[in-house]
Amino acid sequence: MSIEYPGKSDTPRSHLPFSPATQVGDLLFVSGQASVDVTGKIISDTFEGEMRRSIENLRKVLEDADSDLAHVVQTRNYVRDPEDVAEFNQIYGEYFSAPFPARTTITNCLGPNLRYEIDCVAVVRKKRS
């Protein structure tokens, strides 16, 4: 089975050495998405602002690889400050619905420049013939 690196020219990319997404068969592995602009520059904001920008970046990477949030099977979430976990759960429920993807959430884990980051495993949508 081959390994592919899907994306488009405007798929959010980091200047760091990793791919936004890697595909093996119908599985898509999306690297951590944070509150960054299209050039990879960190955009500091409130927790809510950073989380929403991160998930919108995730949505763009998924769509550029023929998937979407509804096809996410697992997320890993990194929340810098434990006091943001309640807000995290509320916002998360706006983007993902029951039955929710499998999920891991880690706190006290990001440096001072980021409040939130998310990565995921998703299934690629079947292309219509």
Side-chain angles (χ1 to χ4, degrees):
M1 195 169 282
S2 66
I3 299 173
E4 298 176 43
Y5 302 91
K8 297 179 180 174
S9 62
D10 63 343
T11 298
R13 295 185 188 277
S14 173
H15 62 279
L16 299 173
F18 63 85
S19 297
T22 304
Q23 182 177 342
V24 179
D26 289 338
L27 290 179
L28 184 66
F29 302 86
V30 179
S31 295
Q33 299 298 307
S35 180
V36 298
D37 66 14
V38 294
T39 69
K41 179 183 175 209
I42 294 172
I43 305 299
S44 296
D45 202 344
T46 62
F47 177 80
E48 177 181 5
E50 288 196 21
M51 183 172 176
R52 289 187 188 283
R53 186 172 291 105
S54 300
I55 295 177
E56 290 304 323
N57 285 343
L58 177 71
R59 182 192 312 266
K60 174 75 169 125
V61 172
L62 289 166
E63 289 173 355
D64 289 352
D66 294 322
S67 191
D68 55 31
L69 292 175
H71 285 80
V72 170
V73 297
Q74 179 186 38
T75 66
R76 284 179 294 269
N77 300 268
Y78 309 90
V79 177
R80 184 181 73 192
D81 302 316
E83 58 269 15
D84 291 326
V85 170
E87 186 175 15
F88 157 73
N89 282 314
Q90 184 269 321
I91 296 167
Y92 188 91
E94 295 176 25
Y95 286 93
F96 299 97
S97 56
F100 296 98
R103 182 180 101 178
T104 299
T105 305
I106 301 168
T107 62
N108 294 315
C109 57
L110 297 171
N113 295 330
L114 290 176
R115 297 174 186 269
Y116 177 77
E117 187 171 339
I118 183 172
D119 66 57
C120 78
V121 178
V123 177
V124 176
R125 294 183 297 229
K126 300 288 185 195
K127 294 185 181 188
R128 295 187 177 118
S129 348

